[in-house]
Amino acid sequence: MSTQLSPILTKFWDHPQSWTLKTYEANEGYAALKKALGMSQQEIVAMTKDSGLRGRGGAGFPTGMKWGFLPPPDGGPRYLVVNADESEPGTCKDTPLMMAAPHFLIEGMIITSYAIGCNHAFIYIRGEIVHVYRRLMRAVEEAYAAGHLGKDIHGTGFDLDITVHAGAGAYICGEETALLDSLEGRRGQPRLKPPFPAVAGLYARPTVVNNVESIASVPPILLHGSEWFKDMGTEKSTGFGIFSLSGHVNRPGQFEAPLGITLRELLEMAGGMRGGKKLKFWTPGGSSTPLFTDEHLDVPLDFESVGAAGSMLGTRALQIFDETTCVVRAVERWTDFYKHESCGKCTPCREGTWWLSQILERLEHGQGSEADVDKLLDICDNILGRSFCALGDGATSPITSSVQYFREEYLEHLRLGHCPFDRDASSYFASDKESASA
Amino acid sequence: MTTDQTASGHLTVSAESKSPYPADVLAQLHEDAALVIARYPQPRSALLPLLHLVQSVDGYVSGRGIALCAELLDLETAEVSGVATFYTQYKRHPNGEFTVGVCTNTLCAIMGGDQIWESVSDHLGVGHDETTSDGKITLERVECNAACDYAPVVMANWEFFDNQTRESTIELVDDLRAGRSVAPTRGARSVSTFKQVSRVLAGFSDGLADEGVGAGPASLVGLRLAHEHNWKAPGRGDVGDEHSPDASAAGQAGGLTPGLTSSTDTPSNAPDERPGQTPTTPTTTTAKGDT
Ligand SMILES: Cc1cc2nc3c(=O)[nH]c(=O)nc-3n(C[C@H](O)[C@H](O)[C@H](O)COP(=O)(O)O)c2cc1C
Ligand code: SF4
């Protein structure tokens, strides 16, 4: 394997007290803030732009450019809101990052707030990870006590407060405008864009919404320079990112690597496929990104290459499924998820996800007909590009890609009148059972 | 304990849930709510934490809790209910002391979450969003909880139980029902009650942040491999640890004063007011944009 891992944000996660300010300071913590406070706002924005950092929350929008979209100051408030809702199936990078090293995020927020002229920043964290919420509250407390937050930070005249806000269980609140509505105390439903949050976001004021990992990457960039960051990754997908491998591999986990690493390389690092089984399908960036198969082992995992191969880099949530897995069962379950999480605002998604889920349930049980497979595609066609937000689009990804690669398996269900797979064979406990009977 | 919810999913509020709070409880609620509201530029933003706060007292979103939120935030009770019913963590009927959530989203389901769900549901004799008759456990199927590298995952009062099996999950619920202290895989030393955790989610620290591990084994797989091979992120680039005097000078030359910002948080515009009407003067004399 040629690509090496690059532990930066994960560097000291193995420290027994990795989350404390003390540990962070022993690892260059808050050195970037010190440097940033000696720079002008424009310089920080320019440096972030130069680094090529692209949003780590899924869409890959250039972070520095997003900050640059804020209108000129009018004297009123502008806000930074960190998206810590992490709920896309397969995505599990921000949660361990905030649990193990929350100060990366806090320092990144202080620098970003300073750069964009924000005096009150928010973290919107999903409510279902209570210990992570505790760690964030504690980190904010420590940062206040150290004078990194509050009034007149380190004598610069810059004031900043951070509020950590817990959501209450709704995937759609990860969509940035739904998140803002939720943070305003409403049902979390997406807003019409434009206006974009940069112009009218939280309380209709200019707002930057960024993912946890995007903001956590700011301190290392500030400290080591944009060239340092650009030296990693590919030309258009610069830097490093956390890749999360889950499912049927020997050692699932988090791998921080330059963008452009391949699944083949990552699989080797994860000890290969469980039980030497064959890779069947995988998601490159969460369930909303079209499935890949073993044909795609060598696709460089950067925004451009994954896109060119027909999927999306998304959140680098690599869910790996081996040959024991029924793809129809997997897709049916994801579809149930979208149906459950559809906010109901627009018709294609609200109605379409329910229809899709009914048809898939039939097919998984070997009922229905081949026409149902085409009906799935037809409904997807009516959801994709016609929904109000990207949740509806995402719901179609697993379906259309699975039919593209595994149509025969759908038909096999119909021929047999039941699912051809033994679900126990794909479970986590299966390996013990196998070795016991072997 | 059951049937406050109609088949259509509407919230029917029992008479009991509308009985007024005792004076001391109400006083405490008002005191806490004032702290929550003070965290936000606009009061309505406090609604989600306030609903968590109501659950920390009543164990679910009660009728009187809805009325209290409405009164505190100057909203209609219908508006508060509309918000409360949107989010799955808000319970429409009295919740057990422990919410046990089995992840049955695709990855976990395939790794055995479905089998875990069936065994524990059988074992307890309750289905999704139902509570055992002793009021101890509310069982749920939950969606992806951001711990896929630890699949199959079970959550107990929103603490992580990683790499679960049918047996371990049954042991977990038995321990919880018997009142034994149970330690999550990654989290506080033992699982707190639903009401206690709801108070944390309302933003009140319980002092347990320093308990538990920083990272579980799966979170460290990449890091350990990097240690083994002595892989490191590249050394620093041309911009060092030191402030670059040139860069700062360039900033100054552009008429920018480092350390001053151009925004303020108070007062901000009223809820539905359009932007640009705030009377505050910027703290800088030079107008500057980052564009
Ligand atoms: C349904 C849906 C869910 C999303 N969930 C998240 C999430 O949990 N975290 C996140 O950072 N971005 C999420 N996003 C993307 C955000 O809308 C937004 O693009 C992102 O927070 C921007 O940050 P970035 O530019 O730093 O990536 C979601 C988008 C959609 C449509
Ligand atoms: S696509 Fe789905 S989630 Fe998005 S606005 Fe429409 S109904 Fe809501």
Side-chain angles (χ1 to χ4, degrees):
Chain A
M1 77 188 97
S2 53
T3 312
Q4 302 187 351
L5 296 177
S6 52
I8 296 161
L9 301 178
T10 55
K11 189 174 148 225
F12 54 90
W13 285 12
D14 55 349
H15 188 285
Q17 296 266 305
S18 62
W19 62 91
T20 61
L21 179 63
K22 195 163 154 237
T23 309
Y24 189 57
E25 279 173 345
N27 287 278
E28 303 183 316
Y30 290 98
L33 174 63
K34 191 171 160 213
K35 184 170 164 191
L37 292 176
M39 292 165 69
S40 74
Q41 296 174 304
Q42 275 122 328
E43 283 174 300
I44 299 172
V45 176
M47 195 162 173
T48 310
K49 267 187 197 161
D50 289 346
S51 75
L53 172 66
R54 292 171 64 175
R56 299 302 192 226
F61 193 83
T63 304
M65 196 187 288
K66 186 185 273 189
W67 301 352
F69 282 158
L70 290 180
D74 61 1
R78 23 217 282 147
Y79 297 106
L80 168 67
V81 179
V82 169
N83 189 342
D85 193 54
E86 189 162 71
S87 312
E88 165 84 5
T91 309
C92 49
K93 62 186 180 69
D94 298 337
T95 296
L97 172 59
M98 293 184 288
M99 187 183 274
H103 281 285
F104 269 117
L105 175 60
I106 307 300
E107 186 182 12
M109 288 176 74
I110 304 170
I111 296 170
T112 307
S113 298
Y114 172 76
I116 65 168
C118 153
N119 299 118
H120 194 162
F122 297 85
I123 305 172
Y124 185 104
I125 180 175
R126 65 182 298 185
E128 301 108 317
I129 45 177
V130 71
H131 204 57
V132 182
Y133 186 47
R134 290 189 184 110
R135 289 266 159 93
L136 284 176
M137 286 198 290
R138 179 78 192 118
V140 167
E141 243 171 61
E142 285 185 308
Y144 271 107
H148 300 319
L149 286 174
K151 297 267 173 250
D152 189 20
I153 294 170
H154 300 304
T156 56
F158 169 51
D159 303 339
L160 179 65
D161 287 309
I162 291 182
T163 300
V164 195
H165 178 94
Y171 165 61
I172 188 58
C173 291
E175 196 283 333
E176 56 185 10
T177 59
L179 183 150
L180 295 173
D181 258 38
S182 179
L183 183 51
E184 291 181 4
R186 300 167 204 277
R187 296 165 75 89
Q189 291 188 310
R191 299 174 178 175
L192 188 66
K193 293 189 265 192
F196 288 92
V199 174
L202 186 63
Y203 314 126
R205 294 292 308 166
T207 301
V208 167
V209 183
N210 270 132
N211 171 258
V212 170
E213 196 188 351
S214 312
I215 295 295
S217 301
V218 169
I221 293 174
L222 252 278
L223 204 52
H224 304 310
S226 48
E227 288 303 320
W228 165 83
F229 189 76
K230 270 200 289 204
D231 276 349
M232 287 177 274
T234 66
E235 193 194 334
K236 288 185 176 152
S237 301
T238 58
F240 56 87
I242 302 175
F243 292 79
S244 312
L245 264 75
S246 60
H248 293 142
V249 298
N250 277 320
R251 286 190 298 277
Q254 307 299 325
F255 300 83
E256 191 174 11
L259 302 188
I261 193 170
T262 65
L263 180 62
R264 191 182 297 282
E265 292 171 316
L266 284 165
L267 267 184
E268 198 181 324
M269 294 179 187
M273 295 295 293
R274 180 190 69 156
K277 294 238 164 36
K278 207 168 154 281
L279 170 66
K280 183 170 172 183
F281 60 95
W282 54 291
T283 64
S287 62
S288 304
T289 64
L291 297 176
F292 273 168
T293 67
D294 59 352
E295 287 167 39
H296 302 98
L297 273 165
D298 295 309
V299 173
L301 296 172
D302 60 59
F303 291 104
E304 292 69 33
S305 309
V306 178
S311 188
M312 289 174 279
L313 185 62
T315 50
R316 286 151 280 120
L318 309 155
Q319 307 175 86
I320 314 289
F321 300 93
D322 70 17
E323 56 193 320
T324 65
T325 314
C326 173
V327 75
V328 184
R329 176 179 172 214
V331 172
E332 185 207 353
R333 196 57 61 88
W334 278 319
T335 306
D336 276 353
F337 165 77
Y338 292 104
K339 166 186 148 185
H340 183 241
E341 300 297 331
S342 169
C343 82
K345 181 162 182 153
C346 72
T347 315
C349 168
R350 183 186 62 238
E351 304 298 322
T353 51
W354 284 68
W355 295 355
L356 291 170
S357 145
Q358 283 174 22
I359 297 172
L360 277 160
E361 191 188 340
R362 277 210 291 278
L363 291 172
E364 164 62 0
H365 290 101
Q367 291 151 8
S369 68
E370 191 171 351
D372 279 333
V373 179
D374 297 313
K375 190 173 287 160
L376 281 179
L377 297 179
D378 188 42
I379 297 170
C380 286
D381 201 38
N382 278 290
I383 296 177
L384 184 68
R386 291 179 167 83
S387 301
F388 192 80
C389 85
L391 186 146
D393 297 341
T396 69
S397 292
I399 299 177
T400 43
S401 58
S402 67
V403 174
Q404 177 189 346
Y405 298 118
F406 300 103
R407 181 183 264 267
E408 197 36 50
E409 191 168 315
Y410 279 87
L411 301 182
E412 177 74 1
H413 280 70
L414 294 173
R415 272 194 297 273
L416 292 172
H418 60 83
C419 174
F421 290 87
D422 166 20
R423 64 171 197 174
D424 284 333
S426 32
S427 76
Y428 163 73
F429 356 107
S431 23
D432 320 334
K433 217 172 60 180
E434 239 166 54
S435 43
S437 61
Chain B
M1 180 122 294
T2 49
T3 65
D4 287 319
Q5 194 180 349
T6 62
S8 60
H10 288 297
L11 179 67
T12 51
V13 186
S14 69
E16 171 208 78
S17 98
K18 290 180 177 165
S19 65
Y21 286 108
D24 55 332
V25 176
L26 189 65
Q28 184 65 47
L29 273 168
H30 273 279
E31 202 175 297
D32 291 341
L35 294 172
V36 175
I37 294 168
R39 289 183 210 139
Y40 300 94
Q42 293 192 6
R44 183 162 178 166
S45 282
L47 183 51
L48 266 64
L50 287 181
L51 288 166
H52 284 303
L53 187 67
V54 165
Q55 299 207 110
S56 77
V57 172
D58 285 333
Y60 71 115
V61 178
S62 58
R64 60 188 181 178
I66 288 177
L68 179 71
C69 291
E71 179 204 314
L72 287 165
L73 302 177
D74 198 17
L75 297 169
E76 297 299 326
T77 52
E79 289 176 291
V80 176
S81 298
V83 172
T85 51
F86 187 83
Y87 299 92
T88 51
Q89 277 184 297
Y90 297 132
K91 303 309 191 127
R92 305 173 189 199
H93 40 83
N95 200 71
E97 201 174 323
F98 300 97
T99 298
V100 173
V102 180
C103 178
T104 55
N105 199 303
T106 301
L107 196 282
C108 274
I110 283 173
M111 299 296 284
D114 277 352
Q115 289 92 323
I116 293 177
W117 164 260
E118 285 158 19
S119 341
V120 72
S121 173
D122 254 18
H123 181 74
L124 293 175
V126 295
H128 171 71
D129 198 23
E130 290 176 5
T131 303
T132 52
S133 53
D134 58 4
K136 287 284 183 191
I137 293 186
T138 300
L139 190 63
E140 285 187 351
R141 300 165 67 103
V142 297
E143 296 297 359
C144 184
N145 223 97
C148 314
D149 44 347
Y150 295 98
V153 172
V154 172
M155 305 299 294
N157 282 348
W158 310 117
E159 298 271 22
F160 291 107
F161 288 79
D162 300 332
N163 299 120
Q164 292 299 288
T165 60
R166 283 167 286 217
E167 297 75 26
S168 66
T169 311
I170 286 177
E171 195 183 316
L172 164 67
V173 294
D174 284 349
D175 283 346
L176 290 173
R177 287 184 90 178
R180 285 188 283 269
S181 155
V182 175
T185 325
R186 289 172 295 140
R189 213 165 285 140
S190 81
V191 177
S192 308
T193 65
F194 179 78
K195 288 184 180 178
Q196 287 166 336
V197 163
S198 296
R199 188 168 169 85
V200 177
L201 293 177
F204 293 95
S205 168
D206 58 4
L208 305 183
D210 288 335
E211 295 188 0
V213 297
S219 311
L220 297 177
V221 171
L223 182 61
R224 296 231 156 103
L225 196 70
H227 285 328
E228 230 169 79
H229 292 271
N230 201 24
W231 289 336
K232 291 201 171 81
R236 32 191 77 151
D238 53 344
V239 187
D241 202 4
E242 296 302 306
H243 297 195
S244 149
D246 290 350
S248 296
Q252 302 283 7
L256 299 165
T257 321
L260 294 181
T261 53
S262 49
S263 140
T264 172
D265 193 35
T266 42
S268 71
N269 48 320
D272 293 307
E273 195 182 340
R274 298 315 302 163
Q277 304 178 346
T278 20
T280 346
T281 34
T283 47
T284 48
T285 42
T286 344
K288 43 185 181 165
D290 358 87
T291 37

